[in-house]
């Protein structure tokens, strides 16, 4: 039977002696986490660029619905595949099938340019991908055993490293001739000369090979749709790797078991009878709405924050000139109006759209305006790399999660994580300066690592051995399912309603997060646990 959630420890994981876990197993599990989040880390942060004004130019509502697919996938997929992995088929084989077929769906989605084909293919993909997040957790917990749960955060942080690697490598792929993001980093640390030397070597030895590769008819020059193509190819490779993971057989129910015991999904739902478990799940779902807002909006928000800051710098330079260049100032004023509010009359909006075609009204852009436009737009291929800052912070802070749980308990640790979400949204309401907006991304380390990882650990200890996959899938169903669908649709509606008024867009998530913190503080009261044991079939954990 499922353990009552009220018995979950509020301080530390089980202190009983733990068997030794070999380095080989930890490496295999860590590589699994790298690939699991490398795939997601390519397409999710950059999808808004592909769907939005820099790509297919879909409406805010259409973008919101497409972003909701990983929520819809988390609703439709986890219970089915969690039940299959718990009762019928080895987990590693379920992972193999999901990632192999899912990769083909991503590649197919990259070939379409209209809403419905992309939406349906991404929906199928996410129905296959989202369950694998819970299944990789349950496979890891099973392979480690009850006594080694403290090793889970250390293995899970390799998933964060995979996400970081995805953002950085895809940024290099998009901007392979200039490496603009890396130039910015080297300039910040005072190593511009070193970067120029590296860039010279890169252009001489690597760029010609890349140009030959991109000249192939089935490849083409890099663009934002490649976030789907590249992720799809990696997903296929990852699916094949899953066949090498530790054998994790299902635990068949007995014919004499009651119906809620034979069905792992129904048994998992009995955990909701406990108030603290129910509070954790509900609050996690509401925080999932905030997570959806972040993924749907942060990319576009960061792009807008950069452009507004760069336009302001250009205006200051132009206004200091004698005599002033009135045509150039008119060009900048128009850019400022559209980037600041997202609104302009029909003529101005058409003119601003024409900037991409190097003309404004009936005249072509001057060389100065072309150079300014380049400066304003240079952030676009670099956004994915900037967004890895959150995962870099998460990578560092993930190592502190077991210490925080041991010293402060689950409740305080998760309040710290939720508070990081609130601070981040509060600062985003301010909207400037750009450096501060980049800095808020670093709060992701606390926001994700200190909230969602303890929640996963809590749920694992609350569930009996035979329903752990379904319990993890249930949590993901709430966070990445219901929470994500609501969050993505609301984010799309907000973008359509408020344009580029980001203060208005971020106010909703800020208020809701603050209410979640208060509710969690008052209602979540975990107690000590001694989880029941279930005899498992032999598993390959070598």
């Amino acid at each position: 039977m499922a353990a009552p959630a009220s018995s979950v420890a509020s301080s530390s994981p089980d202190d009983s002696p733990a068997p030794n876990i070999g380095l080989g197993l930890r490496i295999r599990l860590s590589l699994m986490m790298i690939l699991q989040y490398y795939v997601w880390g390519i397409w999710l942060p950059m999808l808004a660029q592909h769907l939005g004004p820099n790509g297919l130019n879909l409406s805010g509502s259409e973008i919101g619905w497409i972003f909701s697919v990983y929520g819809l996938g988390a609703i439709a997929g986890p219970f089915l595949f969690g039940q299959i992995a718990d009762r019928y088929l080895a987990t590693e084989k379920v992972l193999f099938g999901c990632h192999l077929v899912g990769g083909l769906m991503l590649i197919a989605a990259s070939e379409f340019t209209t809403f419905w084909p992309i939406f349906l293919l991404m929906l199928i993909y996410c129905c296959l991908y989202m369950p694998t997040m819970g299944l990789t957790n349950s496979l890891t917990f099973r392979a480690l055993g009850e006594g080694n749960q403290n090793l889970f955060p250390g293995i899970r942080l390799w998933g964060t490293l995979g996400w970081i690697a995805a953002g950085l490598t895809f940024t290099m792929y998009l901007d392979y001739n200039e490496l603009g993001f890396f130039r910015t980093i080297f300039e910040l640390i005072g190593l511009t000369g070193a970067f120029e030397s590296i860039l010279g070597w890169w252009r001489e030895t690597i760029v010609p090979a890349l140009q030959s590769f991109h000249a192939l008819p089935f490849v083409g020059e890099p663009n934002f749709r490649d976030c789907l193509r590249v992720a799809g190819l990696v997903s296929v490779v990852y699916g094949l790797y899953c066949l090498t993971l530790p054998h994790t057989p299902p635990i068949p129910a007995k014919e004499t078991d009651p119906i809620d015991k034979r069905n792992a999904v129904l048994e998992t739902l009995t955990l909701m009878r406990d108030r603290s478990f129910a509070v954790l799940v509900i609050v996690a779902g509401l925080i999932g709405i905030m997570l959806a807002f972040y993924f749907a909006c942060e990319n576009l928000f960061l792009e807008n924050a950069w452009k507004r800051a760069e336009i302001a710098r250009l205006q200051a330079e132009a206004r200091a000139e004698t005599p002033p260049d009135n045509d150039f100032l008119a060009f900048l004023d128009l850019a400022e109006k559209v980037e600041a509010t997202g609104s302009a009359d029909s003529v101005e909006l058409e003119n601003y759209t024409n900037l991409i075609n190097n003309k404004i009204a009936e005249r072509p852009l001057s060389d100065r305006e072309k150079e300014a436009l380049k400066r304003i737009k240079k952030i676009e291929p670099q956004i994915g790399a900037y967004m890895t800052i959150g995962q870099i912070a998460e990578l560092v802070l993930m190592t502190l999660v077991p210490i925080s749980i041991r010293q402060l308990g689950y409740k305080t640790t998760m309040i710290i994580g939720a508070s990081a979400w609130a601070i981040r949204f509060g600062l985003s309401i301010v909207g400037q300066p750009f450096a501060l907006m980049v800095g808020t991304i670093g709060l992701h380390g606390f926001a994700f690592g200190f909230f969602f990882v303890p929640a996963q650990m809590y749920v694992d200890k609350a569930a009996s051995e035979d329903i752990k996959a379904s319990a993890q899938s249930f949590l993901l169903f709430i966070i990445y399912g219901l929470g994500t669908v609501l969050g993505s649709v609301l984010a799309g509606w907000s973008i359509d309603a408020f344009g580029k008024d980001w203060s208005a867009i971020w106010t909703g998530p800020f208020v809701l997060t603050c209410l979640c913190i208060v509710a969690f503080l008052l209602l979540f009261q975990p107690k000590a646990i001694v989880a029941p044991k279930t005899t498992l079939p032999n598993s390959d954990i070598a």
Side-chain angles (χ1 to χ4, degrees):
M1 291 183 61
S6 59
S7 59
V8 178
S10 63
S11 55
S12 63
D14 190 356
D15 293 329
S16 58
N20 290 329
I21 296 296
L23 178 61
L25 173 62
R26 294 171 70 174
I27 291 174
R28 290 160 67 193
L29 295 174
S30 298
L31 182 55
M32 174 189 72
M33 289 294 183
I34 289 174
L35 292 172
Q36 176 74 26
Y37 291 93
Y38 188 94
V39 171
W40 205 20
I42 292 176
W43 72 262
L44 186 58
M46 298 305 295
L47 185 60
Q49 291 289 328
H50 172 53
L51 301 176
N54 296 320
L56 303 181
N57 202 26
L58 301 182
S59 71
S61 296
E62 288 175 327
I63 293 172
W65 275 108
I66 290 174
F67 268 94
S68 76
V69 293
Y70 71 94
L72 294 171
I75 291 173
F79 283 138
L80 171 63
F81 288 101
Q83 173 76 1
I84 290 172
D86 277 331
R87 293 289 187 258
Y88 304 112
L89 191 64
T91 302
E92 71 278 7
K93 293 181 181 178
V94 177
L95 291 171
F96 159 72
C98 288
H99 288 297
L100 184 68
V101 178
L104 299 177
M105 295 299 101
L106 283 178
I107 294 170
S110 72
E111 299 300 319
F112 290 91
T113 59
T114 55
F115 170 74
W116 278 110
I118 297 172
F119 175 81
L120 293 174
L121 286 167
M122 292 300 296
L123 178 59
I124 295 170
Y125 167 74
C126 287
C127 285
L128 294 168
Y129 177 84
M130 295 309 295
T132 66
M133 296 176 67
L135 294 178
T136 51
N137 289 343
S138 66
L139 185 149
T140 301
F141 283 125
R142 281 274 299 274
L144 293 176
E146 282 292 319
N148 288 297
Q149 279 202 3
N150 63 309
L151 298 177
F152 175 74
I155 291 172
R156 171 58 184 80
L157 69 80
W158 286 96
T160 304
L161 186 62
W163 185 290
I164 294 169
L168 294 178
T169 55
F170 192 68
T171 295
M172 291 178 67
Y173 171 82
L174 288 175
D175 193 24
Y176 70 89
N177 193 53
E178 298 294 334
L179 303 181
F181 172 78
F182 299 94
R183 177 188 294 277
T184 301
I185 298 300
F186 274 79
E187 288 175 351
L188 285 174
I189 59 179
L191 294 176
T192 304
F195 175 80
E196 293 297 340
S197 298
I198 294 171
L199 183 63
W201 170 84
W202 175 267
R203 286 175 171 170
E204 183 178 341
T205 58
I206 305 297
V207 168
L210 291 174
Q211 289 173 334
S212 299
F213 173 72
H214 291 302
L216 296 173
F218 57 87
V219 178
E221 280 299 305
N223 59 64
F224 291 120
R225 81 169 179 135
D226 290 341
C227 68
L228 298 174
R229 289 204 296 176
V230 176
L233 289 172
V234 176
S235 182
V236 170
V237 173
Y238 175 30
L240 297 174
Y241 173 74
C242 288
L243 294 175
T244 72
L245 293 172
H247 180 51
T248 310
I251 309 169
K254 301 175 183 177
E255 289 298 326
T256 56
D257 286 340
I259 183 63
D260 67 333
K261 177 66 176 175
R262 282 179 283 160
N263 189 303
V265 174
L266 293 179
E267 188 178 358
T268 297
L269 292 177
T270 64
L271 295 169
M272 290 293 286
R273 295 171 181 168
D274 178 79
R275 188 187 76 175
S276 288
F277 187 90
V279 168
L280 180 143
V281 168
I282 292 170
V283 170
L286 293 173
I287 297 294
I289 294 176
M290 313 303 104
L291 189 64
F293 253 85
Y294 170 72
F295 283 126
C297 295
E298 182 70 15
N299 193 301
L300 300 174
F301 166 69
L302 202 62
E303 176 188 346
N304 177 255
W306 164 270
K307 288 182 175 179
R308 290 172 63 186
E310 191 62 29
I311 289 167
R313 282 191 287 269
L314 289 165
Q315 286 174 323
E317 293 171 5
R319 287 169 182 158
E321 297 173 354
T322 304
D325 185 338
N326 291 325
D327 284 344
F328 185 58
L329 284 170
F331 161 83
L332 294 175
D333 288 343
L334 173 60
E336 178 190 30
K337 181 175 181 180
V338 178
E339 291 298 338
T341 65
S343 64
D345 62 44
S346 58
V347 175
E348 288 180 325
L349 193 57
E350 181 181 354
N351 287 342
Y352 190 69
T353 302
N354 286 339
L355 295 183
I356 297 174
N357 299 319
N358 289 329
K359 65 178 184 179
I360 182 168
E362 297 303 319
R363 68 174 177 82
L365 293 184
S366 66
D367 289 342
R368 185 179 187 184
E369 289 165 343
K370 290 178 183 178
E371 186 60 33
L373 188 59
K374 229 165 146 185
R375 284 177 57 179
I376 293 169
K377 292 170 63 66
K378 84 169 191 175
I379 187 68
E380 292 168 4
Q382 302 176 23
I383 293 174
Y386 277 108
M387 291 180 71
T388 64
I389 293 171
Q391 280 64 46
I392 293 172
E394 180 188 331
L395 184 67
V396 174
L397 292 167
M398 193 78 76
T399 60
L400 302 178
V401 171
I403 298 172
S404 180
I405 292 175
R406 186 165 57 249
Q407 298 296 327
L408 303 176
Y410 283 99
K411 182 175 182 176
T412 302
T413 299
M414 294 176 72
I415 287 174
I416 292 172
S419 298
W421 284 106
I423 294 170
R424 174 195 224 166
F425 292 134
L427 291 173
S428 295
I429 290 172
V430 178
Q432 288 289 339
F434 177 75
L436 178 61
M437 298 305 98
V438 172
T440 64
I441 301 174
L443 289 170
H444 183 85
F446 281 109
F448 187 91
F450 273 59
F451 187 85
F452 290 117
V453 172
Q456 292 167 357
M457 296 173 71
Y458 183 96
V459 167
D460 186 76
K461 291 191 74 67
S464 58
E465 297 282 1
D466 59 328
I467 64 165
K468 288 187 181 295
S470 290
Q472 290 293 331
S473 294
F474 176 60
L475 182 64
L476 291 174
F477 160 76
I478 296 296
I479 297 172
Y480 293 107
L482 298 179
T484 293
V485 170
L486 288 173
S488 296
V489 172
L490 288 173
W493 174 84
S494 298
I495 291 171
D496 278 344
F498 299 111
K500 296 179 180 179
D501 184 357
W502 290 104
S503 294
I505 291 173
W506 292 124
T507 296
F510 172 72
V511 172
L512 184 54
T513 305
C514 291
L515 293 175
C516 286
I517 293 170
V518 173
F520 194 78
L521 186 64
L522 295 176
L523 300 176
F524 183 73
Q525 302 293 338
K527 301 175 184 177
I529 180 174
V530 178
K533 306 295 181 187
T534 299
T535 302
L536 298 176
N538 291 332
S539 297
D540 168 23
I541 62 169

